[in-house]
Amino acid sequence: MTASNTVRTRFAPSPTGALHIGSARTALFGWLLARHAGGQFVLRIEDTDQKRYVAESEQEFIDMFAWLGIDFDESPQIGGDYGPYRQSERLDHYQKWAQWLIDHDKAYRAYDTPEELAAINEQRRADGLPPGYDRRHRELTAEQEQAFIDEGRVPVVRFKVPLTGKVVVNDLVQGHIEFDNSTLQDIVLLKSDGFPTYHLAHVIDDHLMQISHVTRSNEWVPSLPVHVHLWHAFGWELPQYAHLPVLLNPNGKGKLSKRHAGFSESGKQVLVLVKEFREAGYLPEAVINFLTNIGWNFGDEREVFDIEEAIERFDIGRVNPANSAYPIEKLDWLNGVYIREKMSAETLAGHLRKPLEQAGLNVDEATLQVVAPLVQTRIKTLNDVVDLAGFFFKPDFTPASADDLIQRKMDTAGMIAMLQHAEQRLKTLDDWQTDALHSAMLTVVEELGLKNGQVFGGLRVAVTGQKVSTPTFESMEIIGRDESLRRIQQAINILQAG
Ligand code: GLU
């Protein structure tokens, strides 16, 4: 904890591309921890890897977090008392503290060339050792150093890790972790270009930014002992560490990755980038609920909860340390719950406009408002509205084929007779409303000795042009009397021609 006892957590992404759903979940847990404690959540951009830097990334992160509803108290955009919040703007800190470590005999300059390092690794491999550095410059004399400098070599700064003993950490998620110092490497802290490695930058920044809890992916566990030694070397108070489990591919094998995601067993495309969830018509509240349920549970067997409830209950100590297979199948169900139960039809209408317009449809508000309640119980994603009810907004009606019109256990003649009979009844109807349409068509069912599905289904295909749509009579009410009758006549013509 920091001196002030304030919980401060951070999300520290490297801007190397679009925001990954696994990173969003790591951020979410840090955010929940801070919000639960009434603390602060910081965005720090770790842009020290020049080769992998993607300029658009930072803005993309900000847009995606805004969409998800994860807010920051401090960031490069918002500012704050501990800035700058981009590591590339903090190089003087890293250089200053690297020098401090050298001055205190806790780090050293190493002048090895890439070829020499390759040769060391070659030798280690031959000796059956893991790759690494053999510490040959750990105790250079001033003369030796000068000789390398005179040769024009540019050094890196390496950490003098303790060579014996153990390091023990109590991780809030992973529990007790222990490492033998003899297994550690004299890792590079400052590269020859003057940029820090993650190891150095993380410790300095988390200290200077007064981060109380480091919530990050468990992929960093192997580096943890070195980080702990760095904190000790500086004489700074350690933050609490919470190494979070990562998301695995849906089959439970390997870390979830864009390249390997593909399709789940049931043939569902496995979405990996946060922007893909938005594009596919998921609600941010459902995505957040979905992510919160992976590796943490609300308790009381509840899978659906508002974010405020999750904040209230969140306990980092109850996060399951094991990596989880990505339960993408759950998201459709959850999103459906949010569409059905967590919003009014009017609000839903607002959400449906975008996917409809993106499908090239012409959305008039009055129709949208009457269509929204009809789709509300029938869609899983916002985009589903296009297939189910897009026909309401098409400038021209696309009639169905004869094949689609003909219902189960019926033939062309029977279909024509049914539609003609229905047409007669409908023409005499004064009241063109769902209930009246329904009872009129029940009469047709009886009179012709057919099944409900044959009559209602046949009419559905005739008036909507689709086999799957919003319910038949509600749809006919919206389409209106003249247009519905015109379409039924058109269907009869199609059957007669076919
Ligand atoms: N930049 C590191 C990453 O993207 C941050 C890890 C951390 O949160 O400390 O993996």
Side-chain angles (χ1 to χ4, degrees):
M1 284 282 191
T2 53
S4 62
N5 256 5
T6 306
V7 170
R8 285 174 57 81
T9 61
R10 84 296 190 279
F11 180 58
S14 305
T16 55
L19 186 65
H20 187 284
I21 195 73
S23 307
R25 173 156 149 295
T26 302
L28 169 67
F29 282 13
W31 178 82
L32 283 167
L33 173 59
R35 293 289 170 255
H36 173 81
Q40 287 120 33
F41 188 53
V42 177
L43 175 65
R44 178 172 76 224
I45 299 294
E46 303 210 326
D47 56 348
T48 56
D49 187 344
Q50 300 291 290
K51 287 193 276 313
R52 296 177 60 220
Y53 178 72
V54 176
E56 306 75 47
S57 217
E58 184 178 318
Q59 190 55 47
E60 208 261 351
F61 294 161
I62 290 169
D63 294 344
M64 290 305 119
F65 283 119
W67 180 69
L68 287 167
I70 295 179
D71 60 332
F72 295 97
D73 300 292
E74 296 160 33
S75 73
Q77 286 66 30
I78 300 166
D81 292 343
Y82 304 90
Y85 293 91
R86 280 187 205 99
Q87 288 188 328
S88 60
E89 296 164 19
R90 303 174 60 80
L91 297 183
D92 47 341
H93 287 298
Y94 312 128
Q95 282 155 10
K96 172 182 141 191
W97 286 108
Q99 185 59 50
W100 187 95
L101 288 171
I102 294 172
D103 294 345
H104 291 78
D105 197 28
K106 295 176 191 295
Y108 59 97
R109 292 197 172 83
Y111 295 83
D112 313 85
T113 62
E115 294 73 26
E116 286 165 349
L117 290 172
I120 294 172
N121 271 324
E122 193 66 29
Q123 186 56 48
R124 286 175 70 91
R125 199 167 328 146
D127 296 343
L129 293 168
Y133 179 57
D134 62 6
R135 306 194 160 103
R136 60 179 60 177
H137 289 180
R138 186 161 158 140
E139 306 292 347
L140 291 180
T141 63
E143 294 71 33
Q144 285 171 313
E145 284 215 40
Q146 194 54 52
F148 284 134
I149 295 166
D150 294 343
E151 270 182 50
R153 295 190 182 210
V154 187
V156 299
V157 176
R158 285 185 182 271
F159 187 33
K160 272 192 181 174
V161 294
L163 301 176
T164 55
K166 271 186 193 315
V167 50
V168 172
V169 188
N170 269 315
D171 188 275
L172 290 174
V173 173
Q174 307 293 330
H176 179 94
I177 313 180
E178 212 176 285
F179 298 87
D180 259 328
N181 291 338
S182 62
T183 62
L184 307 181
Q185 291 281 331
D186 284 1
I187 49 149
V188 174
L189 299 175
L190 207 59
K191 296 178 270 186
S192 54
D193 60 6
F195 277 73
T197 58
Y198 168 74
H199 313 291
L200 180 68
H202 136 60
V203 171
I204 293 175
D205 288 345
D206 284 337
H207 170 69
L208 295 180
M209 295 182 179
Q210 299 207 19
I211 297 303
S212 63
H213 295 72
V214 173
T215 49
R216 64 182 178 187
S217 136
N218 64 12
E219 293 166 297
W220 291 107
V221 168
S223 309
L224 180 59
V226 176
H227 299 162
V228 172
H229 286 308
L230 264 175
W231 287 100
H232 290 324
F234 283 123
W236 294 336
E237 195 185 342
L238 264 86
Q240 301 254 31
Y241 278 98
H243 284 92
L244 300 166
V246 298
L247 300 183
L248 305 175
N249 287 310
N251 63 6
K253 288 188 200 130
K255 190 186 164 204
L256 177 66
S257 79
K258 181 82 197 113
R259 226 149 32 92
H260 296 115
F263 292 83
S264 74
E265 263 174 29
S266 69
K268 205 175 152 44
Q269 192 184 359
V270 177
L271 307 181
V272 173
L273 303 177
V274 174
K275 67 175 178 189
E276 294 173 330
F277 290 78
R278 181 164 72 169
E279 285 158 14
Y282 292 101
L283 294 162
E285 297 83 358
V287 175
I288 287 286
N289 192 152
F290 166 73
L291 290 178
T292 311
N293 272 332
I294 310 176
W296 186 77
N297 66 72
F298 188 81
D300 307 338
E301 312 222 327
R302 260 179 74 188
E303 288 193 78
V304 185
F305 43 81
D306 294 342
I307 194 63
E308 289 75 24
E309 298 176 288
I311 290 173
E312 176 93 33
R313 278 213 188 181
F314 188 74
D315 176 359
I316 193 87
R318 277 189 45 238
V319 172
N320 182 343
N323 295 337
S324 331
Y326 184 43
I328 185 73
E329 312 282 351
K330 279 253 159 120
L331 181 59
D332 275 2
W333 165 75
L334 203 50
N335 205 63
V337 172
Y338 272 77
I339 289 175
R340 283 196 303 281
E341 296 172 16
K342 301 264 180 183
M343 62 177 66
S344 65
E346 208 175 339
T347 306
L348 175 61
H351 287 298
L352 297 177
R353 179 173 277 278
K354 194 165 141 226
L356 288 166
E357 285 179 348
Q358 276 174 348
L361 297 164
N362 232 328
V363 184
D364 75 281
E365 188 58 29
T367 309
L368 183 61
Q369 288 294 341
V370 286
V371 166
L374 294 186
V375 300
Q376 190 159 20
T377 53
R378 296 179 172 83
I379 56 174
K380 296 267 171 52
T381 70
L382 299 172
N383 293 6
D384 288 346
V385 71
V386 175
D387 284 346
L388 195 70
F391 65 89
F392 284 115
F393 306 99
K394 277 194 188 147
D396 301 307
F397 174 62
T398 317
S401 65
D403 273 355
D404 284 351
L405 282 163
I406 295 169
Q407 298 298 294
R408 273 169 56 105
K409 301 200 178 153
M410 289 180 77
D411 59 12
T412 309
M415 263 324 279
I416 294 171
M418 186 284 276
L419 286 175
Q420 283 173 336
H421 195 92
E423 190 182 33
Q424 288 318 311
R425 287 247 162 259
L426 290 169
K427 276 185 176 159
T428 63
L429 212 62
D430 296 333
D431 179 5
W432 197 266
Q433 281 184 353
T434 300
D435 290 347
L437 291 164
H438 189 189
S439 60
M441 291 306 100
L442 277 176
T443 320
V444 172
V445 169
E446 268 173 42
E447 286 167 350
L448 300 184
L450 292 171
K451 297 248 183 307
N452 285 5
Q454 293 172 312
V455 174
F456 301 176
L459 281 169
R460 171 204 300 280
V461 182
V463 296
T464 70
Q466 309 189 161
K467 294 210 291 193
V468 179
S469 74
T470 43
T472 306
F473 304 120
E474 279 89 342
S475 303
M476 285 171 73
E477 181 178 331
I478 295 172
I479 290 164
R481 177 191 201 98
D482 292 350
E483 181 61 14
S484 297
L485 289 171
R486 188 187 73 78
R487 292 181 187 184
I488 292 168
Q489 185 54 54
Q490 194 175 9
I492 295 169
N493 296 346
I494 288 170
L495 288 164
Q496 282 172 338

